[in-house]
């Protein structure tokens, strides 16, 4: 039985003090993260160490929003896997549509990051998803399948990988894929994992939905057979909303 996983991606929001306050509010009310759901939060880089102190004994997973594909070197402004681990991270979000759209990350770049993070011992949340134009053109499955295949190329063991399906047109827009639309893409992703890594890996792979998940729609989305929790953006910046979504996943 797959355990749902709900991770809050705080993006470029909160100062260190604000991040600590938000993390404290979540940790105090959420408990150990047991009862069928794994819980994580991904604050900005500058807050990782302080937030890690808050959630360290709570069972909440500390995640980073990105990493570089090299171990060290002259890469101004970048952060390595080793640095993330030293800050207390056990997971990293990679291939988010905003990284692809605004920073030019290709499937090949995302793949290098995925392999580096896995080699370094981190869990990976691999983000995939289509734009509105691509959905309207009827190529959603082709786009998402290619992102999965190329993102996981050369990976032997996907036991530490979670895939997050995030339709780009639903991120931060207030629009949400219907539960059936999301389920169809999640089923296609699981079939791709089955073709690449076998039946057991596909059965165990957790596939999150992301894209304007809110307390009002979380339960319906998470009830779908191939949706295993959510990667939460805006709603994760409000402790009450995030906790309500976690409870829906539990």
């Amino acid at each position: 039985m797959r355990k749902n996983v709900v991770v809050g991606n705080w993006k470029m929001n909160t100062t260190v003090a604000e991040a600590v306050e938000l993390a404290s509010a979540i940790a105090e009310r959420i408990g150990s993260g047991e009862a069928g759901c794994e819980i994580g939060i991904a604050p900005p880089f500058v807050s990782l160490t302080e937030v890690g102190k808050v959630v360290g004994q709570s069972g909440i997973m500390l995640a980073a929003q990105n990493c570089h594909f090299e171990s060290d070197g002259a890469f101004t402004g970048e952060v390595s896997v080793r640095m993330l681990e030293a800050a207390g991270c056990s997971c990293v979000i990679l291939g988010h549509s905003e990284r692809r759209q605004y920073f030019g990350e290709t499937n090949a770049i995302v793949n290098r990051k995925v392999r580096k993070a896995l080699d370094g011992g981190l869990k990976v949340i691999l983000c995939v998803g289509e734009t509105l134009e691509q959905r309207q053109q009827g190529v959603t499955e082709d786009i998402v399948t290619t992102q999965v295949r190329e993102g996981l190329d050369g990976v032997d063991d996907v036991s530490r990988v979670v895939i997050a399906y995030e339709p780009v047109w639903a991120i931060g827009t207030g629009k949400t894929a219907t539960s059936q639309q999301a389920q169809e893409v999640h089923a296609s992703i699981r079939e791709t994992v089955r073709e690449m890594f076998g039946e057991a890996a596909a059965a165990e792979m957790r596939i999150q939905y992301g894209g304007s998940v809110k307390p009002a729609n979380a339960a319906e989305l998470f009830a779908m057979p191939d949706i295993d929790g959510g990667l939460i953006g805006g709603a994760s910046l409000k402790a009450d909303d995030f906790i309500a979504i976690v409870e829906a996943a539990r």
Side-chain angles (χ1 to χ4, degrees), residues 236-247:
S236 69
L237 295 171
K238 299 177 181 179
D240 288 345
D241 286 356
F242 186 64
I243 290 164
I245 292 169
V246 168
E247 291 303 324

Side-chain angles (χ1 to χ4, degrees), residues 9-75:
N9 177 15
W10 295 359
K11 306 188 180 182
M12 197 176 71
N13 295 289
T14 69
T15 62
V16 174
E18 291 165 347
V20 167
E21 182 179 5
L22 178 56
S24 297
I26 292 171
E28 287 170 6
R29 295 173 56 187
I30 230 160
S32 67
E34 295 301 322
C37 184
E38 183 178 8
I39 303 157
I41 53 176
F45 288 136
V46 295
S47 301
L48 284 172
T49 300
E50 293 303 313
V51 170
K53 295 175 183 177
V54 171
V55 302
Q57 303 302 317
S58 69
I60 296 174
M61 175 174 64
L62 184 66
Q65 299 177 19
N66 185 35
C67 72
H68 198 265
F69 50 72
E70 295 289 356
S71 299
D72 49 49
F75 302 104

Side-chain angles (χ1 to χ4, degrees), residues 4-242:
N4 282 344
V5 54
V6 175
V7 176
N9 177 15
W10 295 359
K11 306 188 180 182
M12 197 176 71
N13 295 289
T14 69
T15 62
V16 174
E18 291 165 347
V20 167
E21 182 179 5
L22 178 56
S24 297
I26 292 171
E28 287 170 6
R29 295 173 56 187
I30 230 160
S32 67
E34 295 301 322
C37 184
E38 183 178 8
I39 303 157
I41 53 176
F45 288 136
V46 295
S47 301
L48 284 172
T49 300
E50 293 303 313
V51 170
K53 295 175 183 177
V54 171
V55 302
Q57 303 302 317
S58 69
I60 296 174
M61 175 174 64
L62 184 66
Q65 299 177 19
N66 185 35
C67 72
H68 198 265
F69 50 72
E70 295 289 356
S71 299
D72 49 49
F75 302 104
T76 300
E78 292 294 332
V79 176
S80 72
V81 169
R82 189 166 64 94
M83 293 173 185
L84 296 181
E85 289 179 321
C89 290
S90 60
C91 180
V92 61
I93 300 168
L94 297 173
H96 193 281
S97 67
E98 291 157 1
R99 297 295 313 174
R100 297 176 189 261
Q101 179 180 357
Y102 301 129
F103 302 100
E105 292 192 6
T106 63
N107 289 339
I109 290 173
V110 173
N111 175 250
R112 291 181 69 182
K113 293 184 175 190
V114 167
R115 288 187 284 119
K116 174 60 72 173
L118 291 174
D119 288 347
L122 293 179
K123 298 177 183 177
V124 166
I125 298 174
L126 170 62
C127 300
V128 299
E130 83 285 9
T131 64
L132 180 58
E133 182 181 9
Q134 289 165 339
R135 175 164 280 273
Q136 291 173 336
Q137 292 172 346
V139 295
T140 292
E141 186 171 337
D142 291 341
I143 294 297
V144 172
T145 296
T146 297
Q147 290 175 341
V148 172
R149 288 190 177 279
E150 296 187 3
L152 295 177
D153 183 47
V155 175
D156 296 322
D157 179 6
V158 290
S159 63
R160 285 184 287 117
V161 176
V162 172
I163 296 175
Y165 168 57
E166 296 194 307
V168 179
W169 48 271
I171 298 173
T173 64
K175 298 179 181 179
T176 309
T178 66
S179 55
Q180 190 55 46
Q181 285 175 323
Q183 165 59 25
E184 289 171 359
V185 179
H186 279 237
S188 175
I189 291 171
R190 199 173 304 283
E191 178 58 31
T192 301
V193 174
R194 181 177 292 108
E195 293 170 0
M196 294 181 70
F197 301 102
E199 183 66 40
E204 294 171 4
M205 174 64 70
R206 293 180 295 173
I207 308 172
Q208 299 174 301
Y209 174 76
S212 297
V213 178
K214 300 177 283 290
N217 60 25
E220 180 181 350
L221 286 163
F222 299 163
M224 294 293 103
D226 288 298
I227 298 180
D228 308 308
L231 183 59
I232 315 302
S236 69
L237 295 171
K238 299 177 181 179
D240 288 345
D241 286 356
F242 186 64

